């Protein structure tokens, strides 16, 4: 979220001074300089516990598989056979389509309406700030309320954003729309890992959530492509924005088909 809030103004300033090619290379170098040392020296797998030691207090960083929640969960094959997996994937596909349609094309939409690059970069920063707020607020809510119901409500935020961007305005409406997109993106990144772990356990979480992310990345591609294609055909964004808003509604509605019995690992996770 901090990166989403700070990189757009930085990129805009770099492009204005050095051009977009050198700016792209510089941002790529930043990824390497921050990412590689972090993954090499700051991340590590938990230390394995001795076979005769089942106390998590004796080894607070150890994996203890005896009667521990981390040893519980279904396999990927079992998850793929469940209705819960497909409802979650369906909802993830449509909310990522809605969010991508708004965020990927927001700079181009603002430029098309005459917004200066520096102001457009500021509006994009609003996405990051709202994303931080959304993740904290939604994270707190799903600790206290049924996560699919929270999701159904928050996933309507991109619909508001798309509705505000229809027409020709790009003032306060664009800022509020960016906040709505950030809220939806932050909620999306919170609730789906949470619900996946509560629905299928964590023993094979990496495989199951990896499969779930196929829907996420597909939605990112579909949302960006739909908006681009419709803008090329009609010369404006209105039709694409309403379609993207409908995707948010579909995602929110899909969450209402999930029941408490679809999350058997809810209590065990605590």
């Amino acid at each position: 979220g901090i990166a989403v809030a700070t990189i757009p103004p930085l990129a805009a300033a770099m492009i204005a001074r050095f051009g977009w090619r050198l700016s792209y290379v510089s941002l790529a170098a930043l990824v390497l300089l921050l990412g590689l040392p972090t993954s090499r020296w700051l991340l590590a797998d938990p230390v394995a516990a001795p076979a005769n030691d089942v106390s998590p207090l004796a080894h607070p960083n150890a994996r203890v598989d005896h009667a521990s929640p981390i040893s519980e969960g279904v396999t990927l094959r079992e998850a793929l056979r469940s209705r819960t997996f497909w409802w979650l994937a369906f909802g993830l596909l449509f909310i990522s389509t809605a969010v991508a349609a708004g965020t990927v094309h927001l700079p181009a939409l603002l430029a098309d309406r005459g917004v200066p690059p520096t102001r457009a970069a500021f509006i994009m920063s609003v996405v990051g700030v709202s994303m931080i707020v959304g993740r904290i607020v939604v994270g707190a809510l799903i600790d206290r309320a049924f996560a699919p119901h929270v999701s159904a409500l928050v996933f309507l935020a991109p619909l508001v954003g798309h509705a505000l961007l229809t027409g020709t305005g790009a003032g306060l409406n664009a800022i509020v729309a960016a906040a709505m997109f950030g809220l939806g993106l932050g909620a999306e990144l919170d609730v789906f890992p949470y619900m996946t772990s509560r629905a299928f356990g964590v023993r094979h979480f990496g495989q199951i959530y990896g499969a779930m992310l196929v829907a996420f990345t597909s939605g990112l591609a579909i949302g960006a492509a739909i908006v681009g294609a419709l803008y090329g055909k009609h010369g404006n964004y209105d039709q694409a924005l309403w379609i993207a808003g409908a995707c948010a509604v579909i995602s929110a509605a899909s969450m209402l088909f999930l029941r408490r019995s679809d999350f058997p690992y809810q209590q065990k996770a605590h």
Side-chain angles (χ1 to χ4, degrees):
I2 294 173
V4 173
T6 57
I7 293 298
L10 174 63
M14 291 173 62
I15 290 171
R17 183 164 184 177
F18 303 111
W20 69 267
R21 287 181 173 84
L22 182 58
S23 299
Y24 261 67
V25 174
S26 300
L27 292 174
L30 182 63
V31 172
L32 291 177
L33 290 173
L34 295 178
L36 290 180
T38 299
S39 61
R40 174 61 182 86
W41 287 295
L42 298 182
L43 301 177
D45 288 329
V47 178
N52 60 350
D53 188 352
V54 297
S55 172
L57 297 178
H59 297 272
N61 294 321
R63 280 201 185 96
V64 181
D65 288 338
H66 305 285
S68 170
I70 204 168
S71 68
E72 300 176 350
V74 303
T75 64
L76 174 59
R77 178 175 295 182
E78 291 170 326
L80 291 174
R81 292 175 178 172
S82 71
R83 60 178 291 279
T84 307
F85 178 91
W86 294 106
W87 275 122
L88 288 173
F90 186 78
L92 183 56
L93 171 68
F94 277 91
I95 192 59
S96 61
T97 298
V99 171
T103 55
V104 172
H105 285 274
L106 185 56
L109 181 148
L110 296 173
D112 186 63
R113 297 179 180 179
V115 177
T118 52
R119 181 170 175 80
F122 164 75
I123 293 173
M124 288 301 299
S125 295
V126 173
V127 175
V129 175
S130 178
M131 180 179 169
I132 296 171
V133 174
R135 296 198 72 166
I136 294 172
V137 172
V138 172
L141 288 174
I142 60 179
D143 277 338
R144 294 165 174 79
F146 189 43
H149 292 171
V150 175
S151 305
L153 177 63
V154 180
F155 286 173
L156 294 177
L159 168 64
V160 176
H162 290 299
L164 288 172
L165 289 176
T166 56
T168 58
L172 180 60
N173 282 4
I175 296 175
V176 177
M180 294 297 100
F181 295 145
L183 180 61
L185 181 59
E188 173 186 19
L189 296 174
D190 264 359
V191 297
F192 282 101
Y194 180 93
M195 290 191 290
T196 300
S197 68
R198 270 53 179 182
F200 308 112
V202 294
R203 185 175 181 85
H204 300 283
F205 175 81
Q207 285 185 323
I208 296 171
Y209 192 60
M212 189 79 67
L213 285 179
V214 173
F216 174 74
T217 52
S218 298
L220 295 182
I222 292 170
I226 286 177
V227 175
L230 290 175
Y231 178 80
K233 181 177 180 180
H234 299 286
N236 62 71
Y237 288 98
D238 285 0
Q239 185 177 18
L241 291 171
W242 284 117
I243 291 175
C247 288
V249 174
I250 293 171
S251 177
S254 70
M255 295 294 98
L256 300 179
F257 286 91
L258 293 167
R259 305 183 293 260
R260 295 185 185 274
S261 59
D262 293 324
F263 301 91
Y265 298 91
Q266 178 71 44
Q267 295 302 320
K268 294 180 182 180
H270 297 293

